[in-house]
Amino acid sequence: MDSINITELVERLGSDEDAVRKMAVFKLQSNIGDPSFADVFIADGGLTKLRYLTLHATGNTLAYSLTSFSRLLEVDKGWDYVNQQLVERVVELVVTHPLVNILRGAMSILVSIVSHPHNMSSKSPESDAFGFRALKPAISIYPQFLEMLVSRLSSADHALCANALQLINSLMREAITNDSETDWPKFIKKLQDLGVIQAVYTLMQSTALQDLAHPLLEFQALSKALLRKWKEISVDLAKPEHRRALKALHLASNPERPSDPVENGDDDAKRRHNPEKWRRLGFESETPAWEFEDVGFLGMMDLTDYVKKHQDGFQKLLLEQSTKSTDQRCPIARASLAVTEVLYEHFEVDKSDLDDVKSYLALDSRSGFEKAFKPLILQWSRLHISGLQSFFRLWTATGAELQDFIKVVELVRILLEAVVGGATRTKDVNEVEDEIEEFEYQRLRRLQMELLELTYEDTWGHHLRQVRDELSHEALQFVKEQRIRCLLQGAWFPNGLSYKAEGAPVTKQDLKRSVPSSYRFVKLSHNRRYLHYADFDSQSDDEPGLEALCDKIDLSTVSSVASNVSSTSDSDSSTSTLKTLPQPSSSTKITIHGYVSSTTSSSEASHHHTHSNSSKSTDAKKEVVLLILYPQSHSLASEWLDGLLMLLNQQPITAETNSLISLVSNYGLKIRLLNVRFGDDSALACEQPEIPSREGLDEDYYYDVFGGT
């Protein structure tokens, strides 16, 4: 302000030469945002000249004047010069002017005018000059104003796009807050018909988030406010629009026509209607208005929207349900209301985003924007229809009855949480709809069980961890004993399947060899201290005894057990220890290393050491290969490899053994949980379930552990 002569600047604003006025207003726009500068400028009579330029100037002079006036309003100055003439001029510019720099300033002025009542500490006696009311006379003159405003959302200029969206936000907020109950829904519907939802949805998925973050988040918050407002409106049949909506539902269901009246002209026959007029649509009673209590008019809108867009499918579904018993019919209306409530809770509509806007804007990282923006909330109707159709699909797939209604609702909740909640900001709604439709029931059940386990963790986490630790140790000891008993039983292993010594060439005769030259039987001694083995020309049906096994290995001399057995299972779904490979495998090998005296050692070990068991001094000993086994199945390899390791007090490494340990541990936990009685924990404090009577039952039953039939 010190470097600019405000008095001289004001004089230049009134100059007869356009170039002088242009330069003066150009300097003004960069300084008028200072409140102290603005006070001196107004005191010197500059506001009158600035308003004149706003009303009559053209070109860049007009653009600079609009920007200066909008910045003056932003510091809460100059409101006395805002009247209907100025508003009409600015609205005219928005509708008719093509230049971006002029449109920016014009929209900024309108945003300030519409938002002004929300920024004042006290009500103005001339309140009609501000807010949405101030724009209505001008909009009646230029009815294409809203259409032009929405079209600016697709502008390539991000600043213009942000100003247009900010003005739309101000109009929506003003309408929701101050308009009558009948006026604001009409205005919102008009904006939606002009395509504002799709335009903002496209912006939310674009890469222009940094420039449009504030108005986009504000629009998202206003969308939640709209949903809350619709939910808070109770369905009242005294209101004509509510009666029409219910009547449209009834007519869309293709109701049966009443039979022809009798010849005496009985009026009662004409008025006779189906005693299940509303129950056949899925309501619980013949007075459906009260059933919208939890979701309000929002639930009515969602239900009528589904029926309107899928009338043929709705009628077909009603016909299919009419052939079923009352308990097996899918309650269509109740399902629609339930899906509305699920979506309402998923998007946390009751939690306002306005308080979080500043904190999200403070985040510079891309992850902050990904968390803040939820473009799918703008596709509420399509998500509701997809969720409702998935409800119908799950109802049929599970063979549900009316008593299972809550269970199916929970499945739909998990489905929407998984798909909608897991969708990225840029994921298109068409992909979300396809994923909801193709989501498999079995996968959904797995998710449900995982969530149930998490619920148990939250409730009994500390106790469950203690029990799991105990059961894991018990399961490890159990499986260890099982694996060692496999070694005590003994097993046959082929000899001569390896082609030649490592590094030697392989001949055609080696490749053609499919039958082992001999077989080796290996067995653990009863005292578990020695591993006995011997070679035989062929396998015999009778397993050799320990006295027939002339060679043995002292397990105290074993240093390590190495193998090329995979630590991952070939099949994630199998936990059986009896699984065998379809074809023999000659590549699986278990190598037992040990220390022997250097005078008797014939070769040094060249294999990788994985486990160590010897605590004796090895200064006079060398590590050599004591025994090589070629197991012919993955299960046999798992039994012997992990059995030998656990004999050496090492942990098992194969997936099959670890899976078996997990299986035993989990079953142990389930058995322990059977001892938890109802009411033992406050988290389960609710109505006690009915315990079925055992009257007339005997003890002739069995447990279907694996779910077979």
Side-chain angles (χ1 to χ4, degrees):
M1 189 174 72
D2 296 337
S3 60
I4 297 178
N5 189 325
I6 299 179
T7 303
E8 182 180 350
L9 183 65
V10 171
E11 292 178 358
R12 288 176 175 273
L13 289 178
S15 173
D16 295 334
E17 298 182 14
D18 182 64
V20 176
R21 294 195 302 267
K22 182 190 300 183
M23 182 57 64
V25 77
F26 175 77
K27 293 181 179 180
L28 177 64
Q29 67 176 353
S30 58
N31 293 277
I32 196 68
D34 184 354
S36 58
F37 183 97
D39 289 336
V40 177
F41 175 78
I42 295 173
D44 286 350
L47 187 53
T48 303
K49 297 180 179 180
L50 177 60
R51 181 177 179 275
Y52 178 85
L53 292 177
T54 303
L55 293 174
H56 301 96
T58 58
N60 286 334
T61 304
L62 174 60
Y64 302 149
S65 300
L66 292 170
T67 302
S68 299
F69 204 99
S70 68
R71 291 178 180 174
L72 188 64
L73 296 179
E74 288 174 3
V75 295
D76 204 20
K77 309 287 184 182
W79 290 107
D80 294 338
Y81 287 79
V82 176
N83 57 15
Q84 194 59 42
Q85 182 184 8
L86 179 68
V87 173
E88 288 183 8
R89 167 64 171 167
V90 176
V91 170
E92 176 191 4
L93 292 174
V94 172
V95 173
T96 62
H97 216 287
L99 294 181
V100 171
N101 56 350
I102 291 178
L103 292 174
R104 290 178 191 165
M107 289 184 183
S108 296
I109 291 176
L110 292 181
V111 168
S112 298
I113 293 174
V114 174
S115 304
H116 186 55
H118 300 276
N119 296 330
M120 292 190 306
S121 58
S122 61
K123 290 188 177 180
S124 170
E126 300 178 355
S127 58
D128 288 343
F130 310 110
F132 192 17
R133 294 180 299 276
L135 269 63
K136 287 183 177 179
I139 293 177
S140 64
I141 300 174
Y142 301 97
Q144 66 273 40
F145 170 74
L146 289 178
E147 181 179 358
M148 293 299 296
L149 191 60
V150 173
S151 68
R152 303 300 183 190
L153 295 179
S154 58
S155 172
D157 185 88
H158 293 170
L160 176 60
C161 187
N163 285 356
L165 183 55
Q166 194 171 356
L167 179 54
I168 291 175
N169 292 339
S170 300
L171 293 174
M172 288 177 59
R173 189 192 311 107
E174 171 69 13
I176 294 172
T177 305
N178 297 323
D179 275 9
S180 65
E181 186 176 339
T182 57
D183 289 341
W184 72 263
K186 296 178 182 178
F187 175 73
I188 297 299
K189 187 178 186 306
K190 186 173 183 180
L191 280 178
Q192 292 175 342
D193 292 340
L194 292 173
V196 68
I197 297 294
Q198 186 58 40
V200 177
Y201 175 74
T202 303
L203 289 175
M204 278 193 179
Q205 292 192 311
S206 69
T207 57
L209 290 180
Q210 193 69 40
D211 299 329
L212 302 171
H214 177 72
L216 283 175
L217 286 173
E218 189 178 8
F219 187 90
Q220 180 174 290
L222 287 171
S223 298
K224 286 189 176 184
L226 277 174
L227 293 171
R228 284 196 299 273
K229 196 169 182 68
W230 275 317
K231 182 175 179 288
E232 291 167 359
I233 297 176
S234 301
V235 174
D236 185 3
L237 297 184
K239 299 178 180 179
E241 62 271 19
H242 294 191
R243 287 200 307 273
R244 286 195 298 267
L246 270 180
K247 184 177 180 180
L249 284 177
H250 174 62
L251 295 177
S253 67
N254 193 19
E256 296 179 0
R257 303 301 181 192
S259 57
D260 294 336
V262 294
E263 293 181 358
N264 60 5
D266 188 359
D267 292 338
D268 291 338
K270 295 181 181 179
R271 292 191 294 268
R272 191 175 299 134
H273 64 276
N274 189 339
E276 294 188 351
K277 173 181 178 181
W278 297 112
R279 280 194 290 266
R280 65 183 286 268
L281 301 186
F283 291 101
E284 290 188 79
S285 66
E286 290 302 303
T287 54
W290 68 270
E291 299 186 40
F292 292 91
E293 181 178 357
D294 292 336
V295 290
F297 192 64
L298 176 62
M300 173 76 77
M301 292 170 58
D302 287 342
L303 179 56
T304 54
D305 184 67
Y306 162 72
V307 172
K308 180 180 178 182
K309 294 179 179 177
H310 297 83
Q311 185 169 345
D312 292 341
F314 176 60
Q315 294 177 359
K316 181 180 177 182
L317 185 60
L318 286 174
L319 287 175
E320 292 175 354
Q321 300 303 314
S322 64
T323 62
K324 301 180 180 179
S325 63
T326 304
D327 290 339
Q328 294 178 331
R329 292 177 186 174
C330 177
I332 301 173
R334 288 178 60 197
S336 175
L337 302 183
V339 173
T340 297
E341 194 165 6
V342 167
L343 287 174
Y344 194 89
E345 294 173 359
H346 169 75
F347 285 111
E348 299 179 326
V349 178
D350 280 332
K351 179 182 177 182
S352 175
D353 284 347
L354 289 176
D355 297 334
D356 299 332
V357 169
K358 292 182 179 179
S359 61
Y360 283 134
L361 289 178
L363 298 175
D364 295 330
S365 64
R366 175 65 61 176
S367 60
F369 289 115
E370 294 292 337
K371 178 182 178 182
F373 289 105
K374 297 181 176 68
L376 287 177
I377 196 175
L378 304 182
Q379 302 292 343
W380 180 278
S381 177
R382 294 179 64 172
L383 292 180
H384 173 268
I385 291 175
S386 293
L388 184 56
Q389 290 175 336
S390 69
F391 184 100
F392 300 151
R393 178 168 54 87
L394 290 171
W395 184 276
T396 303
T398 58
E401 298 182 355
L402 283 179
Q403 61 184 4
D404 303 318
F405 179 80
I406 300 299
K407 298 178 183 178
V408 180
V409 171
E410 287 305 311
L411 286 176
V412 173
R413 185 190 307 275
I414 295 170
L415 172 61
L416 293 178
E417 288 284 348
V419 178
V420 179
T424 60
R425 177 184 59 84
T426 57
K427 191 169 187 177
D428 189 69
V429 66
N430 293 319
E431 299 178 30
V432 174
E433 289 174 328
D434 292 341
E435 189 172 348
I436 292 176
E437 181 180 358
E438 297 169 0
F439 209 96
E440 296 179 357
Y441 171 66
Q442 295 300 329
R443 181 183 169 197
L444 188 58
R445 284 289 294 167
R446 287 196 297 271
L447 280 177
Q448 187 180 31
M449 297 309 297
E450 291 174 5
L451 289 174
L452 183 61
E453 290 183 3
L454 291 176
T455 303
Y456 284 147
E457 285 285 353
D458 292 340
T459 307
W460 301 315
H462 175 67
H463 302 290
L464 284 179
R465 281 190 292 271
Q466 281 186 331
V467 173
R468 279 201 180 99
D469 291 341
E470 295 175 5
L471 292 174
S472 295
H473 179 71
E474 293 178 7
L476 178 62
Q477 297 304 316
F478 176 83
V479 175
K480 176 181 179 180
E481 183 63 25
Q482 186 271 339
R483 291 308 197 210
I484 292 177
R485 291 194 179 191
C486 291
L487 274 61
L488 288 169
Q489 184 179 355
W492 289 98
F493 298 92
N495 281 333
L497 281 181
S498 60
Y499 300 128
K500 286 190 177 181
E502 293 184 8
V506 179
T507 64
K508 289 184 178 180
Q509 288 75 13
D510 295 324
L511 293 174
K512 291 179 180 179
R513 180 185 299 170
S514 59
V515 179
S517 58
S518 62
Y519 290 88
R520 175 173 293 166
F521 188 79
V522 187
K523 188 175 184 178
L524 181 66
S525 64
H526 299 303
N527 60 11
R528 305 185 182 189
R529 294 174 56 188
Y530 297 94
L531 200 62
H532 296 260
Y533 65 95
D535 294 340
F536 301 87
D537 293 335
S538 62
Q539 295 188 55
S540 61
D541 295 335
D542 297 330
E543 297 176 351
L546 287 177
E547 64 278 0
L549 305 179
C550 54
D551 297 320
K552 67 178 181 179
I553 298 175
D554 186 351
L555 292 179
S556 63
T557 65
V558 175
S559 60
S560 62
V561 180
S563 176
N564 60 354
V565 177
S566 173
S567 62
T568 59
S569 176
D570 294 338
S571 175
D572 293 336
S573 61
S574 174
T575 56
S576 172
T577 60
L578 302 178
K579 176 184 172 185
T580 58
L581 295 174
Q583 296 294 334
S585 172
S586 61
S587 60
T588 304
K589 181 172 64 172
I590 299 175
T591 306
I592 302 174
H593 299 269
Y595 293 109
V596 296
S597 176
S598 58
T599 58
T600 59
S601 175
S602 59
S603 63
E604 292 187 2
S606 60
H607 297 275
H608 176 65
H609 289 208
T610 58
H611 302 277
S612 177
N613 187 52
S614 178
S615 60
K616 300 179 180 180
S617 173
T618 61
D619 293 340
K621 295 183 179 180
K622 294 183 179 180
E623 189 177 27
V624 297
V625 175
L626 300 179
L627 188 64
I628 298 178
L629 304 177
Y630 296 96
Q632 291 301 282
S633 71
H634 187 84
S635 295
L636 185 62
S638 175
E639 291 170 356
W640 278 78
L641 175 60
D642 288 330
L644 289 169
L645 289 174
M646 288 191 279
L647 264 178
L648 303 176
N649 295 321
Q650 302 296 325
Q651 291 295 321
I653 63 172
T654 65
E656 197 164 313
T657 299
N658 288 322
S659 178
L660 185 59
I661 294 173
S662 177
L663 179 68
V664 174
S665 176
N666 288 337
Y667 270 110
L669 179 62
K670 291 177 181 178
I671 293 172
R672 292 279 186 95
L673 289 176
L674 289 176
N675 295 324
V676 178
R677 296 188 178 185
F678 186 86
D680 286 354
D681 194 279
S682 59
L684 297 178
C686 57
E687 184 180 354
Q688 183 169 351
E690 181 181 356
I691 300 177
S693 172
R694 291 190 53 81
E695 184 179 355
L697 300 179
D698 55 25
E699 302 299 328
D700 186 15
Y701 64 90
Y702 67 94
Y703 289 106
D704 187 7
V705 177
F706 297 103
T709 56

